[in-house]
Amino acid sequence: MRVSRACLVTATALAAVGLVAPTATATNGPRNVNVNPFSVHQGGVLTVSASGCGHGGTVTSNAFQRPAHLPASDTTSFATAKIKHNATPGHYNLAVKCNDNPLVATHQFTVLSGRGARGGIGGSLGPSDTEMKVGAGLVAASAIGGGLFIARRRRLNRGEV
């Protein structure tokens, strides 16, 4: 009798926990898909952001070297995809699919020919007028200071003060 009562209490407790515990549900699928930059050069890197993939997902395109993986996130997930070096310039679509939902979201991007600059601002901007004046002032100050140092050193070597 005691064993049957213990089993009954255990079964009741498990049923109560099972009814109260939150169930794992699938998300509503990918949404708010964005790419950065919209236009990318052959061999470049494209960043894709998407919401709604709570259990992660995959980003695919004909222009990608390999599919990119979205990490699991309750908010926005980010994936980085490398564009093929031999991708034909033009418009492409990418597809975002969550691991827990059959829905697919698409977004368009553009592949540009060539490799593009990889140096940021680098040497693409010349110095401004202010920078030129400051540089000229520093060069003049160092020339005057060096001349005074050499002249004073000569006087000290001859015994003059």
Side-chain angles (χ1 to χ4, degrees):
M1 179 93 169
R2 289 184 187 201
V3 173
S4 63
R5 186 176 285 171
C7 287
L8 181 63
V9 169
T10 303
T12 306
L14 288 175
V17 169
L19 291 174
V20 175
T23 59
T25 59
T27 59
N28 294 331
R31 61 187 185 281
N32 299 332
V33 177
N34 289 310
V35 296
N36 187 23
F38 179 77
S39 298
V40 63
H41 287 278
Q42 296 165 326
V45 175
L46 185 73
T47 302
V48 181
S49 64
S51 301
C53 291
H55 297 279
T58 306
V59 183
T60 57
S61 174
N62 293 340
F64 294 171
Q65 285 184 350
R66 66 183 64 82
H69 297 286
L70 285 169
S73 175
D74 292 334
T75 58
T76 302
S77 299
F78 295 91
T80 303
K82 184 150 174 85
I83 306 298
K84 294 177 185 176
H85 290 285
N86 61 350
T88 305
H91 298 290
Y92 286 88
N93 287 319
L94 60 84
V96 178
K97 184 182 178 309
C98 297
N99 292 335
D100 59 353
N101 195 302
L103 297 177
V104 175
T106 61
H107 197 281
Q108 191 177 45
F109 65 98
T110 303
V111 174
L112 303 173
S113 64
R115 298 206 43 190
R118 297 184 55 93
I121 293 176
S124 63
L125 297 176
S128 67
D129 291 339
T130 305
E131 292 170 333
M132 291 297 290
K133 291 175 184 174
V134 168
L138 290 172
V139 169
S142 64
I144 292 170
L148 290 174
F149 176 78
I150 290 173
R152 179 156 191 221
R153 191 169 181 146
R154 273 197 219 158
R155 278 190 266 157
L156 288 175
N157 286 342
R158 285 193 243 159
E160 301 173 12
V161 178

